[in-house]
Amino acid sequence: DFVVCFVLLQMSDDELNMSPPGSPTAFDDSSYDDSSLPIGVKKTVLSNGSGWERPKDMYEVQVNITGKYDEIIFDSNESEGRPRTYVVGSGLPCKGLDSTFKGMKRGEKSTVVIDSPHAFGPEGLPDKNVPADVAVTYEVELVDWHKVEDITKAKDKGILVKLLDDGPEWDKPKDHDFSFIRYRGRVVGEDKYFAEEGMGEGTEPLRVKTGSILPSGLLEAVKELKKGSKALVTLKPEHAFGETGIPDKAVPANAAVEYEVELVDVHNVIDASKDGGVLCETLNKVSTEWKKPKETSKCSVSWKAAVAGPGSWASREFENLENRSVVIGSAGSDTVTDGLERALEQLVKGQRAFVSVRSEYAFGEAGLEGKVKAGESVEYQVELHSFEEAPSTYSMSAADKKAYSEKIKETGNTFFKTGQIRRALRRYEVALEPFEYIDNIRDEAEKSAAQEIKAACNLNLAACHDKKGDWSQVLILGFICWQHT
């Protein structure tokens, strides 16, 4: 398969289009036959378009058209100075021509012959002097289109997103991410905007937690955009401001509204503690890196730390350190918090982040003398410069696995004795990892040693959960230990 793909990539367009004489070529749209076209509509391609995409229902197409009957021109946009806009599936300018839009590519020029039933029928088109029951011919060029999607589950056109400019990246914001947006909104049919953020020249985009965007329809639309995208979003009242409207902003009850919106940037937020206690907002992407530090990795890190709360960062800052060495899981520092370590495990080399750490993942009820009061949360601005990869336990000998696990377990004991229960619990979990499948160990002495470490770690885990008041985990771990006695 690789050889075939490689050969195809090396072939010229002419070689790819090779076919027996007289037969249509695989990549030649001059012979394009759209079987979905109704009988009575015949399209002939005059000039192939580019790309492979074609518009779908509800897309807005921009076209140049010239309509004729009996060689008499009855319609043309040539004098208008710009393409006409039609909605695919609307039946305009006539059913027959509308049916051809979905078969066209960007830049394609075609001639379309349409019988009377699919043109203007027995009524004709009086305002254009088209008589009844005549066939018409259109010369049409598909200049461009805008993707339009109904993103409601019911597909009732409650939230229509017209994509004006597609972003270059694939990531879309999630509820917990931070979105940087520019937008303005108005009632459909009105000129005056009732809301506007980040639209002025030189104005920074609005930084907002994605899940807090209002109204709900705008939130759903933003979550469908990619970084760099621009869109026009139209909302029915139930996805906007409903029966109440916004009286002080002249948005009446049951009004449909529309927003021009641009998603400038997205900062992904990772819940590093799985309970909202350590939220890591990544500030940049490093596409060339994918490995992340883990337990026992030695990291080179710079960070600033501040007490969470109102006021400037400078007034709250209590620590500013450059190029410090941090070994994840080490008990050797009083200022490297559990939250900071968890955040580092989410970053790649060269990545920066803003980290919010709740008190229990920071300095807890003990605080940090003269700097952080008991129960206070903290924030970090952190950059991971580099790190040394932790050893892989999969390639270790049984003796090395035992030494590794015992060292991690002892670090957990140190944390436990100083009341840092969450950090102790993590160490015991890591110490268990090399012995997840001890039944595969053939040497009985090595298997016995592994069972001892596993039992000790499980008992210590039970002690941690006991301190946390998580009795169900205590019972489960106790039962596991009993099974292996």
Side-chain angles (χ1 to χ4, degrees):
D1 290 345
F2 171 81
V3 173
V4 172
C5 292
F6 178 81
V7 170
L8 285 173
L9 287 170
Q10 299 301 311
M11 293 172 70
S12 68
D13 290 341
D14 290 339
E15 290 172 320
L16 283 170
N17 280 328
M18 286 189 302
S19 57
S23 66
T25 60
F27 296 92
D28 184 358
D29 272 352
S30 63
S31 61
Y32 181 82
D33 179 20
D34 189 343
S35 60
S36 67
L37 288 179
I39 297 174
V41 179
K42 175 65 177 177
K43 185 184 81 168
T44 303
V45 176
L46 304 176
S47 177
N48 293 326
S50 61
W52 55 271
E53 293 181 291
R54 305 176 197 269
K56 300 177 182 178
D57 279 334
M58 295 199 307
Y59 282 24
E60 286 189 3
V61 292
Q62 288 84 50
V63 295
N64 292 322
I65 61 170
T66 298
K68 303 177 183 180
Y69 72 93
D70 296 335
E71 296 303 315
I72 300 171
I73 296 176
F74 67 87
D75 192 14
S76 175
N77 69 299
E78 185 175 354
S79 63
E80 298 169 8
R82 62 180 183 276
R84 295 259 186 94
T85 298
Y86 296 105
V87 176
V88 179
S90 67
L92 297 174
C94 70
K95 291 184 294 183
L97 187 59
D98 178 42
S99 68
T100 66
F101 292 149
K102 289 194 290 185
M104 298 182 73
K105 297 191 292 186
R106 194 175 271 109
E108 179 182 316
K109 296 180 181 179
S110 293
T111 297
V112 184
V113 180
I114 307 169
D115 66 4
S116 173
H118 296 94
F120 304 106
E123 292 82 16
L125 193 62
D127 61 329
K128 299 283 188 180
N129 297 315
V130 178
D133 298 318
V134 296
V136 300
T137 300
Y138 279 97
E139 293 177 4
V140 57
E141 176 188 9
L142 180 56
V143 179
D144 202 358
W145 68 75
H146 289 306
K147 180 180 179 181
V148 179
E149 280 194 298
D150 177 2
I151 63 171
T152 57
K153 291 182 179 179
K155 299 302 176 186
D156 60 359
K157 300 184 180 180
I159 307 174
L160 292 179
V161 180
K162 175 183 173 182
L163 197 61
L164 304 177
D165 192 0
D166 202 4
E169 299 187 16
W170 290 101
D171 283 349
K172 297 178 181 180
K174 300 178 178 63
D175 283 334
H176 53 263
D177 293 336
F178 280 98
S179 293
F180 292 75
I181 59 175
R182 306 182 195 276
Y183 73 88
R184 58 185 179 183
R186 62 185 175 186
V187 175
V188 172
E190 299 287 339
D191 294 325
K192 185 179 180 181
Y193 293 95
F194 62 81
E196 185 171 313
E197 289 286 354
M199 297 296 291
E201 186 176 349
T203 305
E204 291 294 317
L206 174 69
R207 176 183 181 270
V208 59
K209 190 170 184 180
T210 306
S212 66
I213 293 174
L214 292 173
S216 61
L218 181 59
L219 164 62
E220 295 306 316
V222 169
K223 286 162 61 176
E224 288 300 314
L225 299 181
K226 297 183 290 186
K227 177 183 173 181
S229 295
K230 296 179 182 178
L232 178 66
V233 180
T234 305
L235 308 176
K236 285 185 176 180
E238 58 267 32
H239 299 285
F241 304 102
E243 297 179 355
T244 58
I246 315 179
D248 60 332
K249 293 192 176 182
V251 179
N254 298 312
V257 300
E258 61 183 15
Y259 287 89
E260 300 168 24
V261 59
E262 177 184 3
L263 180 60
V264 179
D265 201 359
V266 179
H267 286 178
N268 299 123
V269 176
I270 304 165
D271 185 351
S273 59
K274 308 302 182 187
D275 63 358
V278 183
L279 298 178
C280 181
E281 176 189 351
T282 55
L283 304 180
N284 66 316
K285 290 188 178 181
V286 185
S287 58
T288 57
E289 301 288 338
W290 58 273
K291 292 183 178 180
K292 298 178 181 180
K294 57 183 182 180
E295 192 78 15
T296 74
S297 291
K298 186 178 181 180
C299 306
S300 175
V301 192
S302 294
W303 73 85
K304 297 178 181 179
V307 175
S312 68
W313 179 276
S315 67
R316 298 181 286 114
E317 185 177 282
F318 64 86
E319 196 169 56
N320 188 337
L321 300 174
E322 295 283 341
N323 297 306
R324 292 303 176 100
S325 179
V326 174
V327 178
I328 294 180
S330 170
S333 174
D334 292 332
T335 62
V336 177
T337 63
D338 186 18
L340 178 58
E341 288 188 345
R342 288 174 186 257
L344 290 175
E345 290 179 299
Q346 309 305 319
L347 305 181
V348 298
K349 177 183 175 182
Q351 199 160 34
R352 295 176 288 108
F354 181 83
V355 186
S356 300
V357 181
R358 269 201 323 248
S359 170
E360 62 265 35
Y361 294 97
F363 301 101
E365 293 305 314
L368 185 63
E369 188 175 356
K371 297 178 180 179
V372 181
K373 295 178 182 178
E376 284 188 320
S377 298
V378 300
E379 297 170 341
Y380 291 95
Q381 298 175 34
V382 59
E383 180 175 2
L384 176 61
H385 302 298
S386 62
F387 67 93
E388 296 175 10
E389 288 188 49
S392 171
T393 58
Y394 293 105
S395 58
M396 290 181 181
S397 66
D400 288 340
K401 286 181 179 181
K402 180 175 182 293
Y404 173 84
S405 289
E406 286 182 337
K407 182 179 179 180
I408 301 296
K409 180 171 70 71
E410 286 306 312
T411 303
N413 292 345
T414 301
F415 283 130
F416 187 88
K417 291 172 183 176
T418 56
Q420 299 179 70
I421 304 305
R422 281 185 171 80
R423 300 183 83 171
L425 191 149
R426 292 191 76 208
R427 306 292 87 77
Y428 298 141
E429 288 175 339
V430 172
L432 277 170
E433 288 175 3
F435 300 109
E436 186 175 1
Y437 304 107
I438 61 174
D439 291 339
N440 295 332
I441 301 175
R442 295 181 179 181
D443 185 279
E444 289 301 321
E446 290 178 354
K447 181 181 286 189
S448 177
Q451 288 173 334
E452 287 181 11
I453 292 175
K454 195 167 185 177
C457 287
N458 279 324
L459 286 171
N460 289 354
L461 281 170
C464 289
H465 286 293
D466 177 54
K467 289 285 187 181
K468 291 173 63 182
D470 191 349
W471 314 121
S472 61
Q473 283 298 312
V474 173
L475 289 172
I476 291 170
L477 289 161
F479 179 72
I480 290 171
C481 291
W482 173 78
Q483 277 187 312
H484 292 91
T485 55

